[in-house]
Amino acid sequence: MTFEQLQIFVVVAERQHITQAAQILNLTPSAVSASVKTLEALHGVQLFERVGRRIELTREGGLFLKEARETLARMKDAERMLADLAGVKRGQVDIQASQTIGHYWLPPRLVSFQASYPGIEVRFSLGNSRGVAEAVRNGTVEIGLIEGMLDDPALSMRQVATDHLIVVAPLGRVAATAAARPDDMLRNLHWIMREEGSGTRSEFEKALKALGVDIAELKVLLTLPSNEAVLRAALAAGAATVVSRLVAEPMLESGLLVSLDVPLPPRHFILVRHKERHLSSAARRLIAYFDAGSRLPA
């Protein structure tokens, strides 16, 4: 059994989709499928079964997934320890961020960090806040960045930046609701929402409760898995959506969307790490860089 086989198995198991796993791993679907079949044949165990057009873990596959994750995490810990022996001028750090952070806040900071530490390889991936926390918990990544706090005793969390959520909609839709109270306006609008598990949705639900509105009262037309998708859908449907001001800025400046007068509290970008796992020198250096502000605006 090889490191690559374990890695491929875990990604396929998490996505339950060969093509999606292949895209993440930068391999062909046939190579991913062959690796899984080789692992099954080598040990005489069926790890997946086809149900309709999907693949699902068998009971044996589900039991093996936990062990595979833990084994990969231990191997990554060993890699990090060896990298530490070479000092912070060299090394690798795995980081995963939720979409708003990963698309807008993080990239310029990674570019600046890489210029200062060219010998440190930063391996970056995207997820929603719930998925990022899971990746840190199981050791897939050393550092996570999410929108808002989560209740998880295994994880250490602290603020690294502040963000502002806003409600946006096409101008005509805003004019039609201009005289309404915030809570009535929210109920009367049509909505495009982010998926459950996203930091944006979680923080918006908290804000709604403070305004005396339950999310079940909203007229939700679509639930979509990315900021860009909800903005485009809101524009096409004449609906409202909630996103970070960082995300909406280009459409606000162009006049395609306008911001509604809905009082939403600021939210925080949170750095997440495992309380008990070894943190490499490269990861500690990157965290210190975030703490220093990396000379970039929050």
Side-chain angles (χ1 to χ4, degrees):
M1 186 186 305
T2 66
F3 178 82
E4 184 181 38
Q5 285 174 325
L6 276 181
Q7 199 169 34
I8 289 171
F9 165 74
V10 169
V11 176
V12 173
E14 290 174 344
R15 296 299 184 277
Q16 298 198 33
H17 198 286
I18 293 290
T19 303
Q20 289 180 12
Q23 291 171 345
I24 292 168
L25 293 162
N26 198 27
L27 296 170
T28 64
S30 59
V32 170
S33 181
S35 175
V36 171
K37 288 178 180 176
T38 299
L39 189 61
E40 290 178 322
L42 184 65
H43 298 281
V45 176
Q46 184 177 351
L47 301 172
F48 296 96
E49 59 187 353
R50 185 164 292 279
V51 180
R53 301 179 70 178
R54 290 173 46 82
I55 61 168
E56 294 182 1
L57 282 168
T58 61
R59 181 176 180 279
E60 291 80 5
L63 292 171
F64 181 57
L65 177 59
K66 180 176 183 295
E67 184 64 32
R69 282 173 168 163
E70 291 177 354
T71 301
L72 286 176
R74 288 194 295 270
M75 293 174 74
K76 285 179 178 289
D77 282 344
E79 283 184 329
R80 291 162 190 157
M81 186 169 290
L82 285 175
D84 281 353
L85 298 177
V88 295
K89 291 185 178 180
R90 295 173 53 196
Q92 294 175 334
V93 55
D94 293 282
I95 181 170
Q96 188 171 116
S98 54
Q99 288 196 29
T100 300
I101 299 173
H103 281 300
Y104 296 91
W105 184 86
L106 185 58
R109 286 159 175 82
L110 292 184
V111 170
S112 180
F113 177 79
Q114 200 78 69
S116 298
Y117 299 95
I120 296 178
E121 179 189 359
V122 179
R123 298 188 291 198
F124 166 55
S125 57
L126 284 169
N128 63 28
S129 289
R130 187 181 299 167
V132 172
E134 176 62 24
V136 175
R137 191 183 308 111
N138 65 38
T140 304
V141 300
E142 290 187 86
I143 300 171
L145 289 164
I146 62 174
E147 300 140 24
M149 300 290 283
L150 293 175
D151 183 16
D152 192 322
L155 303 179
S156 170
M157 303 186 192
R158 58 188 177 84
Q159 178 185 341
V160 291
T162 300
D163 183 39
H164 298 276
L165 287 178
I166 57 173
V167 175
V168 296
L171 181 59
R173 179 63 60 183
V174 177
T177 59
R181 297 186 322 179
D183 56 339
D184 289 335
M185 178 174 63
L186 293 169
R187 293 185 182 95
N188 292 333
L189 286 167
H190 290 97
W191 288 87
I192 309 294
M193 297 294 295
R194 282 290 306 276
E195 81 284 8
E196 290 188 20
S198 78
T200 295
R201 179 168 179 143
S202 176
E203 292 299 304
F204 185 47
E205 288 182 4
K206 292 177 188 176
L208 286 176
K209 287 181 181 178
L211 293 169
V213 179
D214 191 291
I215 195 166
E217 299 178 70
L218 301 188
K219 301 171 184 175
V220 179
L221 301 178
L222 281 173
T223 300
L224 297 171
S226 75
N227 292 316
E228 287 72 20
V230 297
L231 282 176
R232 293 294 175 184
L235 191 61
T241 191
V242 59
V243 291
S244 165
R245 182 173 289 278
L246 289 170
V247 175
E249 202 66 49
M251 287 192 178
L252 293 174
E253 290 178 354
S254 68
L256 290 172
L257 297 173
V258 294
S259 176
L260 279 66
D261 186 19
V262 179
L264 299 180
R267 65 170 177 178
H268 304 304
F269 290 163
I270 304 297
L271 187 143
V272 184
R273 56 158 298 193
H274 200 285
K275 289 180 179 177
E276 297 180 354
R277 293 191 187 279
H278 174 76
L279 200 62
S280 69
S281 294
R284 291 196 297 271
R285 184 59 55 131
L286 181 56
I287 290 172
Y289 207 69
F290 291 151
D291 289 341
S294 63
R295 300 185 179 88
L296 291 170

